[in-house]
Every structure is written in C-alpha cells, then in structure tokens.
Amino acid sequence: MATEKKIISLTVKVGLVLFAVCILAPVSLMVLLRHAVPLQTLRLLFSAGSASLVAWEEVKMYSANKGAFLCECDMSSLRSDVCELKGDVRVIPSNITIIALLHPSVSESRRSWRMKPHARKNDGHALASVTEVLVSVTPSSPHVPECKAESAAPAVVFSVGAYAGNMFHDFTDVLIPLFITASRFRSDVHLLVSDAPPWWLDKYRPLLRGLSHHAVIDMDRQSAEVLCYPHVVVGLSFHKEMSIDTAKTVGGHYSMADFARLARRSYGLERDTAIRLLHGSDNIKSPRRPRLLIISRKTTRAFTNMGAVAQAAAMLGYEVIVGEAEQHSDLPAFARLVNSCDVLVGVHGAGLTNLVFLPPGAVVVQVVPLGGLEAMARDDFGEPAGDMGLGYVQYGISVGESTLAELYPRDRRVLRDLALRSEYLVSQNVTLDVARFSGALSRALELLHH
C-alpha cells in the first residue's frame, strides 16, 4: 500500500514537471525571441504548409549566377500587407502575376499566395475594387515566361483602390504609403499601379514624378510583355492616418514634413514660410494681411452663413478667400491658392487634405460637426498638421450650430449621440455662431505671431 502511494506520488510529480516544461518552454522561447520574431510569426513558423512563407520569413538561397534570393513578408499590420522579393523577379502586368525564380540547384517546392496591394486591408468596400496579385516563388524552368524588358532599378506594385477621387483617401491610403515605401530608392524606382483611372494618374502625376523619374506603369493598360527586376515590393507600408512615423521609416530619415515638402515642390509651389505677425501690430491696417482660405462645400457639412463668417474674419484682420476643392478640379491651381494662404478653415472632410500644400508655420482650423468625431478629427488632420510644422485649432460646434437641430428640435440628447449615422454623413450642415467662432480665428492669429 505504501509502495503504491509512492508510485502515485512519483507519477504526479513527473506529470507536474512535464506539464511545467510544456508550458514554460514555449514561453521562454517567446521571451528570448520577442525582439526578433513577432508573436504572429512565431505561431505561423510552427505551422505547416505555405502559410509560414507569408509571415516574417527570410529565405536566403545562394547560386553561382543569381546571387542571393530573399523573400520577406509582413502581414502583421492592421492596414496593409507588404512582401519584398529580391533576386530574379518577373512581373506579368496582363494578369497581375509576380514570379520569383529560385536557382535550379535549390531543392524548394513552389509556393504561391495572393495579395491585395492596398493600404486598407480590412475595408471590404475598398478592397472589392482592388485587383488581386498572385505571387509565386518557384524553381527556375524552361516554362517560366522570358523577360521582355529588364531593369536594374527596383519596382513597387500597388493599387489605388475603390476611393479614388476622395482626396483624403488618395493621400492617406495611397500617396503617403507610397512615399513611405518608395523614398528609400531615391527616385530610381518603377511604380507599377493597378485600378487607377486615367484622370487619377493625370491629377497626381506631378507627385508621382517626384517619387520616381521613371514613367508610371499602368498595369491595367500594359501589354503582355514580362518585366524583370532584381527587387520588387508588393504592397504599401502604412503608419498612421495622413502621416508618417519617422521611427518606422528605413534609416529613420523620412517624415511627414518631407512628404509635404515633396508635394509643394512637385506642384511648383513657391512659399516655404507662412506670414509672421509682430506682437501688438494692427492686422487691419497692416499692408500685408494674413490670408485665410475657407474651404467651401456645396452639399453636406457646408457652411450656411459663409458671408457672415467671412465678414467676421475680415474684421479680425484677415484677407478672406473662399474656395471649393472639387474631385476633378485643377489640382495644381488649387494647390497654388492654398500655398498662398496662411490659415486654412474647413469642416471635417476630404477638402482639409489640401493642408499638405500650406507653407510651414501656417495654421489649420478644423470645424468638427456633431457626431462624436473629435478624436477622429484630431487623428485625421490635427496630428498630421503638427507633423508638417503647421499650427492647429480644433473647433467643435455646439448643438445649436448644427442644422440637425431642426430635424430633432425636441431631443438634444439624440443629437449628441448620433455618432456616424447617416444623418451626420448626408444631412448635416453648419451654421457657425460667429461670435463664438471668432475666438478660434483669434487663436489662429496668435499662432501666426512670432
């Protein structure tokens, strides 16, 4: 009986030890590797099949005539997937296929996966219009399509997505991520784009030329020839809305201020410094008054008392201009108008994206409608303004300044809880309390002083 108890006791102890080893070993491994391998990667690397290739994985294969082959993918971002292929990489624009060739001496089976190279990967509506890219890593063979055009420069493959023409999405989903991804190549890079309307390419061609001195390759309208590169990046890196995290850029060399500088240079904008007012000066009598541009909207979130707002701004010493940024407007002309101004005023919306053309030191005044949008408004335009060296004033309207008060005259609480409902999106305009809003305009003047 005593012997049986000892055996049971020993069995329990052994079981506890094994249990501890099973639990502690993986935890210890993760602690040791936490600076080198992300948790998502660790899980995938222990799985079977081709999924591990899609995680962070570096595969170096050396051959006598092709050098090293590298495949590295990052699928951990909530906004974008990015894969880099180095070696003998062939792009077939006609069916959006990318083939990375391994040397015949490498005993590696073919692996393939599909990607949508757009920086809004969890937005089903945006991705519905994004052409899928087939990426295939395969041993070299006589059946692989032959190169028709070879380049020593790298290439970046990306899609414009479903929101083409909405200026905010054009910049935050495409142009800024493209700058993040392509800047390290110092303009010696081929830009391969899909799902881009011709007018979109014309509208942003000056900026695209600033990113690459090679002609943009429109894969939707490209011939069936095979393009060959030593380095291809599929997808665009995303940091945050309308801005760049310098610490995440290659070498830590690029910032949102650099992007804004590129945008001004690309469109030939001359002003690199906003007006600086002297303390105690009378702006009304000054020969050089600060210019204030009010972004006008025709439909939703429009100012209903634009004249009164403009008059109040003029009384404070501003030279007031009212402009409207339409989807197919002459962007170079509107960019010059924005660059000539010192203060930009607008209701939260895509029109405020024009702040990228303001000279450093200028001020953005964002009017935030009802709907609990204060944090979103600051993320979309407030923080980017600061990252570009601009001053920022945020003005949240009161219930009485929203035309929604006419729809819900008896229940002000409903108005405060609308969030992002259709009433906010399509039915709300703004009637500013001119006396109250003058405080925001005065604050902008203060930011323009030395």
Side-chain angles (χ1 to χ4, degrees):
M1 193 73 176
T3 303
E4 290 179 357
K5 287 183 177 180
K6 288 181 180 180
I7 293 174
I8 293 173
S9 176
L10 180 61
T11 303
V12 170
K13 289 179 180 179
V14 170
L16 290 173
V17 170
L18 291 174
F19 177 79
V21 169
C22 292
I23 295 297
L24 293 177
V27 172
S28 300
L29 181 60
M30 284 188 285
V31 170
L32 288 172
L33 297 179
R34 70 180 184 273
H35 298 297
V37 183
L39 181 59
Q40 176 191 19
T41 303
L42 189 65
R43 183 173 65 250
L44 287 171
L45 288 177
F46 281 109
S47 67
S50 61
S52 60
L53 183 68
V54 183
W56 276 104
E57 181 181 359
E58 189 171 297
V59 183
K60 291 184 178 178
M61 300 175 181
Y62 296 89
S63 63
N65 60 344
K66 289 297 182 183
F69 169 75
L70 171 69
C71 173
E72 184 176 75
C73 294
D74 181 9
M75 308 293 187
S76 63
S77 169
L78 295 176
R79 285 290 293 265
S80 64
D81 294 333
V82 181
C83 282
E84 296 206 29
L85 305 166
K86 293 182 181 179
D88 184 351
V89 187
R90 308 187 181 192
V91 181
I92 309 173
S94 59
N95 59 4
I96 319 293
T97 298
I98 298 173
I99 302 174
L101 296 183
L102 303 175
H103 191 264
S105 63
V106 177
S107 58
E108 184 76 18
S109 59
R110 175 176 174 172
R111 297 185 181 183
S112 300
W113 64 96
R114 295 182 181 275
M115 296 176 61
K116 291 204 170 187
H118 183 70
R120 209 167 189 86
K121 76 177 189 182
N122 288 321
D123 185 331
H125 182 265
L127 292 188
S129 300
V130 173
T131 302
E132 204 168 46
V133 176
L134 173 63
V135 183
S136 179
V137 178
T138 183
S140 181
S141 75
H143 304 293
V144 174
E146 294 184 1
C147 298
K148 297 299 182 182
E150 296 188 54
S151 173
V156 175
V157 177
F158 66 99
S159 168
V160 169
Y163 300 129
N166 180 300
M167 193 173 183
F168 174 76
H169 288 291
D170 288 343
F171 276 79
T172 198
D173 299 339
V174 184
L175 296 171
I176 295 173
L178 181 59
F179 175 83
I180 294 170
T181 307
S183 288
R184 58 179 150 145
F185 302 122
R186 300 183 181 277
S187 297
D188 188 18
V189 59
H190 288 234
L191 305 180
L192 279 61
V193 62
S194 63
D195 313 308
W199 60 260
W200 191 96
L201 293 173
D202 291 339
K203 182 175 183 177
Y204 295 113
R205 199 171 302 281
L207 191 49
L208 296 173
R209 284 175 181 159
L211 289 169
S212 171
H213 58 239
H214 301 282
V216 174
I217 297 175
D218 184 351
M219 293 194 291
D220 298 329
R221 297 162 186 85
Q222 183 72 11
S223 63
E225 65 181 9
V226 179
L227 310 177
C228 295
Y229 300 97
H231 183 184
V232 174
V233 181
V234 186
L236 302 177
S237 296
F238 177 92
H239 291 171
K240 54 183 179 177
E241 296 291 1
M242 272 295 293
S243 195
I244 296 167
D245 184 344
T246 300
K248 293 181 179 179
T249 62
V250 177
H253 296 313
Y254 305 105
S255 67
M256 190 58 194
D258 294 320
F259 177 84
R261 189 178 301 110
L262 173 67
R264 294 194 302 273
R265 185 176 72 241
S266 298
Y267 288 94
L269 308 182
E270 298 178 354
R271 293 185 74 214
D272 283 326
T273 307
I275 193 173
R276 280 294 172 260
L277 304 176
L278 297 175
H279 284 290
S281 62
D282 188 338
N283 298 324
I284 297 178
K285 297 180 180 179
S286 173
R288 171 75 168 85
R289 303 171 74 181
R291 301 188 82 193
L292 180 146
L293 173 61
I294 303 176
I295 299 288
S296 172
R297 297 173 61 99
K298 287 183 178 178
T299 54
T300 61
R301 286 162 281 156
F303 291 119
T304 62
N305 58 338
M306 181 73 75
V309 174
Q311 184 177 7
M315 291 295 292
L316 289 172
Y318 287 106
E319 176 188 349
V320 182
I321 301 166
V322 177
E324 182 173 356
E326 298 180 352
Q327 177 173 316
H328 298 290
S329 62
D330 185 345
L331 182 59
F334 198 79
R336 287 192 294 272
L337 174 62
V338 174
N339 185 249
S340 72
C341 296
D342 305 291
V343 177
L344 180 68
V345 175
V347 180
H348 176 75
L352 283 176
T353 309
N354 287 282
L355 58 81
V356 298
F357 303 122
L358 286 171
V363 181
V364 177
V365 180
Q366 179 174 198
V367 177
V368 184
L370 296 182
L373 300 173
E374 289 76 15
M376 179 188 292
R378 191 170 297 278
D379 289 343
D380 288 351
F381 300 110
E383 288 192 15
D387 293 342
M388 284 181 266
L390 305 174
Y392 179 70
V393 177
Q394 184 160 306
Y395 178 86
I397 71 170
S398 64
V399 170
E401 292 172 285
S402 171
T403 56
L404 290 177
E406 301 171 6
L407 299 178
Y408 301 94
R410 298 180 180 179
D411 193 347
R412 296 295 177 91
R413 181 184 59 79
V414 172
L415 291 175
R416 287 189 290 267
D417 296 337
L418 279 175
L420 291 176
R421 296 181 190 175
S422 60
E423 287 88 346
Y424 157 70
L425 294 172
V426 301
S427 302
Q428 182 172 199
N429 291 320
V430 176
T431 305
L432 288 173
D433 180 331
V434 174
R436 181 170 177 258
F437 186 64
S438 293
L441 297 179
S442 296
R443 174 58 183 154
L445 281 175
E446 293 175 9
L447 295 175
L448 290 175
H449 282 85
H450 282 294

